[in-house]
Amino acid sequence: MEETQIASILKTSELYPIPQSIKLSYGTAGFRADASLLESTVYRVGILSSLRSLKLNSSTVGLMITASHNKVSDNGVKVSDPSGGMLSQEWEPFADQIANASSPKELVSLIKDFVEKKEIAIEKGGEVWLGRDTRLSGESLLRAAEIGVRSVLGSVAVDVGVLTTPQLHWMVRAKNKGLNATESDYFENLITSFKCLIGLIPVKLESSKLVLDGANGVGGLKMEVLIRSLSDIDVEIRNTGRDGGVLNEGVGADFVQKEKVVPLGFGLKDVGMRCASFDGDADRLVYFYIPSESCGGDKVELLDGDKILSLFALFIKEQLNIIGDEGKKCRLGVVQTAYANGASTDYVKEMGLEVVFAKTGVKHLHEKAEEFDVGIYFEANGHGTILFSECFLSWLVGKQKDYSEGSDKHNAVSRLVAVSNLINQAVGDALSGLLLVEVILQHMGWSVQKWNELYKDLPSKQVKVEVPDRTAVVTTSEETEALKPLGIQDAINGEIKKYQRGRAFIRPSGTEDVVRVYAEASTQEAADSLASSVAQLVKSFLGSS
Ligand code: G16
């Protein structure tokens, strides 16, 4: 590295000293912490993003400032690779090292070694697009990121404004594919493919209203823009954040999925209505309805990521069946995590689909879904998408020419092509996922209640346990068993045995300072009781904080 380059990093890093006693890790989805602690981290991730761009021939890299479903006082930063996917995991250890470097000198030395090891030609200059969610702390963190990016001499930082996380990933992917890549292009793409799918519905019925909880975040605001151009969908948006509500507080996909109660702003007036929730940066989507007044108007029937996955799988399988023998050759597969409800796994297996499991974190699921012609991945928390392989897509596009227009086969192929355009190929996206759910429900002529009948979820319960050191929990690769602390898995197995259809596991969260407990059993009381005994075990093995 040239002296001028070293001087540039030394000078700017003086502006962002690392706070005392902070140890950060790139985690499930980037760095997350209280926003007041993050300037130095975001500045350093700015440097990393420039280097990543340079390593990949100055392709555009994305840097997103968000703490997604976490509380409003937190913030975070994650990197989108030029493909639009998550930062290559190979670079995560470097991210951890530089985020924790205790002095400008150590920082420079780590960067110098890395640049040499990875043979990064630093002369050309990279390009990084910077997005942020609606958190107020995002503005100053974005300035820190800009300074980090530009401290790699010749690199350019482009502020693309307040966006959902999936919008930034989509834009980065489009830019590197040489396509139109502005936010309006993103909307235009959703609108065109949604309208195409609506136009292909065999018997169109009047669609009922959807009520959307925007989590007081960026997703509701973007949805408002989107629906202005869509006449085939009636959406009422609540919790836009404009009426004083706090981001993710008593609202949003994470809250609804974990608590299984209505978000603020919903109640008795909504009994039976089709409702949906986004999370804070709109990369997660869940649906729900309030079953009856007798539940007091706050308990919900939840249609989580597993149910969305099942609906998508059903629709895609139906189109492949219409195409016939050639369509049936398509390798359609599903990727889930240990959190997937056992009933959903049984359902997709009964449909004849291949199911594989991955570790929590979309970066792990995405990788496995890419191995299929059409790979559908979803975490139960509502984060997921459908990936179409290049090869299968070009086969589909070829078939569009072979089949006569208006024929069943032509329509089925056209639907699949439109789905591949509508659903975000870079990352799970609540806006595009919602449009696809809506169009499939219209296609099937189904209500949300009818969709919910696809299968009955096994009762489940999730709890968080605060412990002095969550890294003391080490699990197997699919996170279904704990290897450490020694002896805890035997104790958990002992609890599981007491319950019919019992299943439980523990894992350290990668986004919060907690150990997560998941339990499933044949009744809700049993699932609650299993979760609580496993949580007790966690406390007794690790201590409470
Ligand atoms: C992030 C990841 C998800 C993961 C979630 C919870 O979501 O993108 O893949 O499921 O964190 O992770 P953990 O259990 O490790 O805390 P988001 O929506 O917060 O970006």
Side-chain angles (χ1 to χ4, degrees), residues 28-29 32 68-69 78 279 283-284 360-362 379 381 383 507 509-511 516:
T28 317
R32 291 195 189 170
S68 189
H69 71 279
K78 55 185 166 188
D279 73 338
D283 57 9
R284 292 199 211 168
T360 299
V362 279
E379 295 185 299
N381 63 22
H383 199 155
R507 53 175 287 278
S509 163
T511 60
R516 297 200 194 280

Side-chain angles (χ1 to χ4, degrees), residues 10 56 84 91 136 145 160 189 217 220 223 268 329 370 391 396 415 423:
L10 281 175
L56 300 168
W91 279 47
L136 286 179
V160 284
N189 180 64
M223 196 67 192
L268 281 175
K329 282 189 202 142
E370 278 176 327
C391 171
L396 282 176
R415 282 188 200 106
I423 199 84

Side-chain angles (χ1 to χ4, degrees), residues 176-197:
N176 290 308
K177 281 180 146 264
L179 304 170
N180 296 333
T182 63
E183 188 182 9
S184 337
D185 297 316
Y186 167 88
F187 284 129
E188 196 47 50
N189 180 64
L190 292 188
I191 293 160
T192 315
S193 41
F194 178 76
K195 283 186 178 165
C196 172
L197 280 163

Side-chain angles (χ1 to χ4, degrees), residues 358-378:
K359 203 174 154 174
T360 299
V362 279
K363 56 190 178 189
H364 304 295
L365 287 93
H366 193 98
E367 233 172 48
K368 295 210 170 177
E370 278 176 327
E371 289 166 18
F372 294 99
D373 294 326
V374 181
I376 312 175
Y377 71 84
F378 260 90

Side-chain angles (χ1 to χ4, degrees), residues 115-348:
V115 163
E116 270 165 33
K117 191 173 115 206
K118 292 278 174 194
E119 297 176 349
I120 301 173
I122 217 157
E123 298 79 32
K124 290 174 288 175
E127 179 166 309
V128 183
W129 285 13
L130 311 175
R132 63 183 176 92
D133 69 15
T134 48
R135 287 174 163 85
L136 286 179
S137 57
E139 268 181 65
S140 63
L141 290 175
L142 196 128
R143 300 282 89 84
E146 278 176 335
I147 293 179
V149 170
R150 292 182 190 138
S151 70
V152 177
L153 297 174
S155 290
V156 184
V158 182
D159 179 356
V160 284
V162 172
L163 294 173
T164 70
T165 298
Q167 280 185 311
L168 180 70
H169 284 262
W170 185 94
M171 286 160 64
V172 165
R173 180 175 188 269
K175 168 73 176 20
N176 290 308
K177 281 180 146 264
L179 304 170
N180 296 333
T182 63
E183 188 182 9
S184 337
D185 297 316
Y186 167 88
F187 284 129
E188 196 47 50
N189 180 64
L190 292 188
I191 293 160
T192 315
S193 41
F194 178 76
K195 283 186 178 165
C196 172
L197 280 163
I198 290 280
L200 287 163
I201 292 178
V203 186
K204 183 127 172 33
L205 306 168
E206 186 77 16
S207 150
S208 58
K209 185 162 87 173
L210 167 76
V211 192
L212 174 66
D213 155 31
N216 294 319
V218 61
L221 303 176
K222 299 297 179 185
M223 196 67 192
E224 282 181 347
V225 179
L226 183 61
I227 56 174
R228 274 184 224 135
S229 310
L230 294 174
S231 53
D232 290 291
I233 174 170
D234 178 10
V235 189
E236 179 189 332
I237 308 175
R238 299 186 194 155
N239 300 331
T240 57
R242 271 199 226 90
D243 35 17
V246 179
L247 179 71
N248 296 334
E249 208 173 284
V251 294
D254 194 63
F255 172 79
V256 174
Q257 190 237 350
K258 301 274 170 13
E259 305 299 326
K260 299 201 184 98
V261 295
V262 288
L264 294 171
F266 289 66
L268 281 175
K269 60 183 183 297
D270 304 308
V271 168
M273 298 282 292
R274 189 170 74 261
C275 304
S277 265
F278 288 172
D279 73 338
D281 63 342
D283 57 9
R284 292 199 211 168
L285 167 71
V286 296
Y287 272 71
F288 64 92
Y289 63 90
I290 305 168
S292 70
E293 291 180 14
S294 60
C295 302
D298 68 342
K299 288 263 175 298
V300 301
E301 264 307 317
L302 176 74
L303 292 91
D304 61 3
D306 299 337
K307 265 260 152 93
I308 297 174
L309 174 145
S310 304
L311 183 72
F312 289 176
L314 191 72
F315 180 73
I316 288 175
K317 183 99 186 160
E318 181 189 290
Q319 306 319 309
L320 293 171
N321 286 344
I322 297 173
I323 298 170
D325 288 344
E326 286 183 302
K328 288 179 193 153
K329 282 189 202 142
C330 164
R331 264 194 80 213
L332 171 63
V334 157
V335 189
Q336 299 189 302
T337 69
Y339 288 110
N341 194 280
S344 75
T345 311
D346 292 348
Y347 178 78
V348 280

